[in-house]
Structures are given as structure tokens and as C-alpha cells.
Amino acid sequence: MSVEFDFGGEIALVTGVGGALGSAVANAFLEAGTTVCGSDIIEPNTEDFLLSDPDSVDLYQADFSDEEAVAETVDAVVDEHGRLDYLLNIAGTWRGGTPIHETDVDTFDFLFDVNLKTMFLASKHAVPHLRETKGAIVSVSARSSLEGGDGDGIYRASKAGVRLLTETIAAENLGAVRANAVMPSVIDTPMNREMMPDSDFETWVDPKDIADVMLFLCSDAATVTSGAAVPVYGEV
């Protein structure tokens, strides 16, 4: 059974739009008729920018760990399009491999900046506009954020923060803005295949499938869902 959504006339902002998941989310919203605005620190038309057609979205190159850049980007989106309906907080990354007592503080700062601060700042500046449209936020947490583990505790903590901020935003904006998070495990991306070449790729989740869940969470079909952390790690 196929499901189609019609988001025609609505505006979405996707952070981390140049990454594997960000580009999949942008494409899913484009196919649903959304006008997609995308932000990324990476320049388009470079090897690391994976969105196949950068011209299909309105691009805003910005560092979303910098509040001034975030404020300027959100304001520019609203000035250009007159509204904001959806915020998709995709910007994020993974680092690990060392126990806490061997982890550099720079790694802590980096992961909390990229994974949590970007989500906080984007949401902070988008919420006033989303309240006007009764819009929605979907952010990316992680399955591993549900418990501690060996070697990537800082990553897990930053993604746990995404879950808790999601619940807080949902509670603070009842009836005005819905906020949910998805929790992937290993996503089937070129980078992950390169980092883990001996893994069973068949058990990994396609970014397109995660994008479809995020599309659903923004749709009228999910109007009773807010403050949720939705598993998107397949049947493993």
C-alpha cells in the first residue's frame, strides 16, 4: 500500500540538507509539493554535499551552531516565503571510539554543538513562526540515546538531549506546535558503508524510509502525536 501526502503551499526548513538523511528528507517533502528551504554548512556542488539537485531547494549556507546565523536564516526564509510550516532538524554527526576518561573535551564540544545546539537554536528561532501556522518540528535523536554504552557516550548524551528538548518543546507548545523525534540506529549511507565495510548492510535502514516517517509526523495524519520519540531502526 502506498501513501501520498499533499503539502502544497507549505514551507519546510531542513537543516543538514546536504547529508544523506537531509537530502532524503528534502526529496520526500519536495515530492509532497512542499517548498523546501535547506541549510547546511557544506557548500553545494562539492563531494560531501549529497543532494542530487541543489537547485530544487532554496539553499542557505549557514553554521547552525551560531545563533546569529540561525536567526538570520530563519528570518530570511520567512521573509522570502511569508511563513514557515515545518522544521526538520537533521544536522548531526557521530564520533566515538574512546572511553570517557580518554575523550577530548573538544569532542564533547563538537558533538553537543552539532547534534544538540543546532537543534536547540533552530527550534528556538522557528517556534514563534511555527506557532502562527500550527506547524511541526521533527528532530533526529538515536536509538543509542536510550542507554549508555562503550566508546560513544558523548554522542549518546547529545542525542538524549535531543529527545528531552523535543519533549519540552511539545509540552511548551501544546495545541500550537507539534514536536517529535525519530530514533534511527545505523542508517544505510555511503559514509557508514565506508566506515563499516564488513557489516550486513541489509539490516540498515534506508534514509528514504526514515524520511517517509518524518513526512508522516508532519502530516495531518499525525495531529494527535507530539512529544514522541519514534523508533526508525527496522526490525533488529
Side-chain angles (χ1 to χ4, degrees), residues 86-180:
Y86 310 111
L87 171 64
L88 295 312
N89 285 311
I90 315 295
T93 192
W94 181 87
R95 292 288 188 278
T98 57
I100 293 298
H101 68 280
E102 296 178 2
T103 300
D104 293 334
V105 70
D106 288 347
T107 299
F108 180 96
D109 291 340
F110 174 74
L111 286 172
F112 270 77
D113 277 354
V114 176
N115 292 338
L116 185 56
K117 189 177 181 181
T118 59
M119 178 265 187
F120 159 67
L121 289 175
S123 301
K124 171 184 175 178
H125 289 277
V127 160
H129 303 290
L130 294 171
R131 290 179 66 91
E132 295 178 4
T133 58
K134 291 191 179 297
I137 299 172
V138 184
S139 303
V140 180
S141 180
R143 181 182 189 177
S144 61
S145 74
L146 297 172
E147 59 185 5
D150 183 8
D152 63 350
I154 307 304
Y155 169 81
R156 292 169 186 253
S158 67
K159 288 297 189 177
V162 171
R163 283 193 296 107
L164 291 173
L165 280 189
T166 295
E167 294 173 4
T168 298
I169 293 166
E172 291 176 346
N173 294 278
L174 290 173
V177 178
R178 290 182 293 114
N180 294 290

Side-chain angles (χ1 to χ4, degrees), residues 17-19 40 42-52 54 57 59:
V17 73
D40 209 303
I42 300 171
E43 293 186 8
N45 302 315
T46 61
E47 183 179 355
D48 294 329
F49 197 91
L50 302 180
L51 185 64
S52 57
V57 305
L59 288 174

